[in-house]
């Protein structure tokens, strides 16, 4: 494969944009080498500026459940754009999207739209703090909730230690308010809440953590979180920015039946345009300005193009009763095929999957949490990644990101991917 134009563009980009990218994982630091520049996408495929073709399993990091440039979404966006691109006043598309969100998520009585998942989480955290009059937040190691200051914190060595910031620029005094415990660890949650029960405003969790690779909640863990937070008047926030509309129409909460107080959404809800949302019980949501004392706002919030893209995407999802079943089937075929290829070649992988999200860790032991995810051999992943890329399959450029299958992926795509994986496993 030739990458001349991508190389030229990346050199230029690095002079203009820090690291040449507007979001760090895109720089390929997790796998080495340089990113390609994409020219266009259609369905399951993308083409780079050097006209190389790839089957894409990144899908813009999750939003593109219908694949690239689905006709109905492109039509909705272009038609809406003709009538103007932003207004400083409500537009009817906001109501259409709010209705679809409420239809899918019974725990959401009222919803507010923002422009990213980060913004949704930041706003939900402020709301929980304003609603409870408490300052502390409890989160889980390895769960990503966007890059708001309060969320860029994971545990140090001990589960009971106070938070240390993960990023320069996060005030230590603020990070102290973010407590972290290991995911799936009931005892750690219980003891943290026992110590801080009158100080914790919210427990926030990715109900299926998909930002440190992928691992699943132990049976009963999410139910346990619901019980213990309710007992102490702590707001339970499900961050379903990835899982919402992805693992099921109504996210993880539909699958497990646990109703959080607040839910954060993003990614799929914008159909590839910048959208986030947070919503929940009306008596909490009504604390937001202008009804209540918690301030939250946005120049482009409820933007008509973004709302129209979201509406068209969700209507396509809701319009096909078998859609999630089909996605599950095709992704299972991919997972089984890749696992068989690894076995045949003699490469040990630990595979985690739910619905159309998958992750292949390069380690023998099952991955059940952040600590076991970190045992994966990232050097082998890097080799595998590049071997796949050179053969026309674009996986996430980091072991700790997941892959996404879209409704545009065909049986032929899956077959080609499995064949390619077998060759790539031989290279590692
Ligand atoms: C992607 C993601 C976010 C952040 O969303 P952005 O739109 O990138 O700001 C927050 N939480 C989870 C679970 C995510 O996967």
């Amino acid at each position: 494969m030739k990458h001349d134009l991508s190389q030229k563009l990346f050199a230029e980009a690095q002079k203009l944009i820090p690291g040449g990218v507007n979001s760090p994982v895109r720089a390929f630091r997790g796998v080495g080498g340089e990113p390609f520049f994409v020219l266009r996408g259609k369905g399951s495929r993308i083409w780079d500026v050097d006209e190389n073709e790839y089957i894409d399993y990144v899908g813009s990091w999750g939003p593109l459940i219908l694949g690239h440039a689905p006709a109905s979404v492109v039509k909705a966006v272009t038609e809406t754009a003709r009538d103007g691109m932003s207004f400083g006043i409500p537009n009817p598309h906001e109501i259409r999207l709010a209705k679809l969100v409420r239809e899918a998520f019974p725990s959401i009585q009222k919803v507010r739209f923002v422009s990213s998942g980060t913004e949704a989480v930041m706003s939900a955290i402020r709301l929980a703090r304003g609603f409870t009059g408490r300052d502390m937040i409890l989160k889980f190691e390895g769960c990503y909730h966007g890059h708001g200051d309060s969320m860029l914190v994971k545990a140090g060595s001990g589960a009971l230690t106070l938070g240390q910031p993960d990023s320069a620029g996060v005030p230590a005094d603020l990070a102290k308010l973010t407590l972290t415990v290991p995911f799936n660890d009931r005892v750690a949650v219980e003891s943290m809440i026992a110590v801080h029960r009158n100080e914790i405003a919210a427990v926030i969790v990715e109900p299926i953590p998909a930002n440190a690779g992928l691992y699943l909640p132990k049976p009963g863990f999410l139910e346990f979180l619901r019980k213990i937070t309710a007992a102490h008047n702590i707001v339970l926030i499900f961050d379903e920015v990835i899982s919402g509309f992805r693992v099921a129409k109504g996210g993880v909460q539909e699958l497990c039946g646990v109703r959080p107080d607040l839910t954060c959404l993003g990614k799929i809800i914008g159909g590839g345009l910048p959208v986030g949302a947070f919503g929940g019980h009306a008596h909490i949501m009504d604390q937001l300005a202008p009804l209540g004392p918690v301030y939250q706002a946005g120049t482009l919030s409820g933007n008509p193009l973004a709302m129209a893209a979201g509406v068209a995407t969700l209507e396509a999802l809701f319009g096909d009763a078998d859609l999630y079943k089909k996605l599950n089937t095709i992704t299972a075929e991919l997972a089984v095929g890749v696992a068989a290829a690894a076995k045949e070649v003699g490469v040990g992988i630990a595979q985690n999957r739910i619905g159309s999200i998958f992750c292949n860790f390069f380690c023998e032991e099952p991955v059940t949490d952040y600590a076991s995810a970190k045992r994966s051999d990232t050097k082998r992943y890097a080799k595998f990644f590049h071997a796949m890329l050179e053969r026309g399959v674009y996986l996430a450029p980091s072991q700790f990101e997941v892959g996404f299958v879209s409704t545009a992926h065909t049986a032929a795509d899956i077959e080609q991917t499995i064949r390619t994986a077998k060759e790539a496993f031989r290279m590692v």
Side-chain angles (χ1 to χ4, degrees):
M1 265 187 195
K2 278 176 62 171
H3 298 289
D4 301 0
L5 273 177
S6 277
Q7 279 167 5
K8 232 173 100 184
L9 288 174
F10 192 52
E12 201 179 346
Q14 284 173 288
K15 289 183 201 143
L16 296 165
I17 300 166
V21 291
N22 284 306
S23 195
V25 183
R26 296 179 199 168
F28 278 25
R29 292 292 169 94
V31 289
E34 289 188 356
F36 60 87
F37 276 65
V38 67
L39 187 64
R40 64 178 188 279
K42 186 71 193 164
S44 63
R45 307 269 166 158
I46 52 176
W47 290 265
D48 70 17
V49 289
D50 294 287
E51 291 290 348
N52 299 306
E53 179 175 330
Y54 308 90
I55 304 176
D56 180 24
Y57 290 102
V58 174
S60 187
W61 304 100
L64 303 185
I65 193 165
L66 302 175
H68 292 273
S72 64
V73 180
V74 171
K75 182 164 174 269
V77 171
T78 46
E79 280 178 1
T80 307
R82 269 187 221 120
D83 291 332
M85 285 184 268
S86 183
F87 307 97
I89 195 81
N91 68 77
H93 300 290
E94 298 168 76
I95 299 171
R96 295 170 65 208
L97 190 58
K99 278 188 180 155
L100 291 170
V101 169
R102 233 177 53 162
E103 182 190 326
F105 286 83
S107 72
I108 297 181
Q109 291 177 337
K110 288 193 177 175
V111 61
R112 188 164 272 181
F113 295 112
V114 292
S115 300
S116 70
T118 294
E119 222 188 314
V121 171
M122 278 168 44
S123 307
I125 294 286
R126 185 180 307 131
L127 178 57
R129 284 174 165 156
F131 175 71
T132 57
R134 302 169 180 169
D135 288 341
M136 286 185 143
I137 304 294
L138 178 62
K139 75 179 282 292
F140 294 89
E141 281 174 33
C143 280
Y144 179 67
H145 302 293
H147 64 93
D149 282 348
S150 287
M151 290 296 104
L152 280 183
V153 181
K154 62 185 178 200
S157 47
L160 291 172
T161 53
L162 290 173
Q164 296 289 317
D166 268 356
S167 165
V170 175
D173 280 349
L174 185 63
K176 260 189 233 159
L177 298 175
T178 303
L179 308 163
T180 55
V181 291
F183 188 77
N184 272 335
D185 189 337
R186 286 188 196 211
V187 175
V189 174
E190 274 165 359
S191 31
M192 199 61 102
I193 288 180
V195 176
H196 296 288
R197 64 174 167 266
N198 296 320
E199 299 159 285
I200 298 176
V203 169
I204 184 166
V205 64
E206 277 185 86
I208 290 176
N211 279 286
L214 175 72
Y215 42 87
L216 303 179
K218 282 185 190 154
F221 183 67
L222 299 173
E223 289 81 352
F224 156 76
L225 291 182
R226 176 64 288 179
K227 248 196 201 145
I228 193 165
T229 49
H232 297 288
N233 298 315
I234 295 169
V235 175
L236 178 62
I237 306 173
F238 273 11
D239 180 352
E240 299 227 44
V241 170
I242 279 194
S243 54
F245 311 105
R246 169 61 70 176
V247 299
K249 183 174 157 183
V252 179
Q253 51 196 278
E254 177 185 319
L255 299 181
C256 70
V258 174
R259 300 262 184 276
D261 301 302
L262 292 176
T263 299
C264 298
L265 296 166
K267 299 198 167 108
I268 288 174
I269 201 179
L273 267 70
V275 186
F278 63 105
H281 211 281
H283 76 282
I284 303 181
M285 291 301 289
D286 285 347
Q287 296 298 309
L288 288 171
L291 294 180
V294 179
Y295 191 71
Q296 188 277 332
T299 301
L300 294 177
S301 293
N303 172 270
L305 299 197
M307 298 294 104
V311 168
T313 301
L314 298 194
E315 280 178 348
L317 294 178
F318 297 5
D320 178 353
D322 290 331
L323 184 132
Y324 289 99
K325 217 186 283 167
K326 285 188 274 191
L327 267 175
N328 189 49
T329 306
I330 195 163
T331 314
E333 276 168 24
L334 174 69
V336 168
V338 167
K343 196 165 175 202
E344 202 180 315
V345 179
V347 173
I349 59 165
Q351 193 176 64
N352 285 341
R353 181 182 75 82
I354 176 149
S356 52
I357 313 177
F358 66 86
C359 186
N360 296 307
F361 291 100
F362 281 79
C363 55
E364 309 267 346
E365 299 293 312
V367 172
T368 55
D369 56 15
Y370 188 47
S372 47
K374 282 199 294 194
R375 273 186 227 122
S376 181
D377 186 339
T378 53
K379 289 204 181 79
R380 285 187 109 183
Y381 181 80
K383 278 190 194 157
F384 180 70
F385 166 84
H386 281 293
M388 294 295 278
L389 191 68
E390 276 303 299
R391 288 164 180 76
V393 178
Y394 179 43
L395 298 169
S398 162
Q399 170 71 88
F400 302 111
E401 301 283 351
V402 292
F404 299 97
V405 176
S406 76
T407 58
H409 286 82
T410 62
D413 289 334
I414 301 299
E415 227 172 82
Q416 186 182 335
T417 306
I418 294 167
R419 244 184 295 123
T420 309
K422 200 191 283 184
E423 285 176 37
F425 281 129
R426 290 213 174 89
M427 316 283 295
V428 309

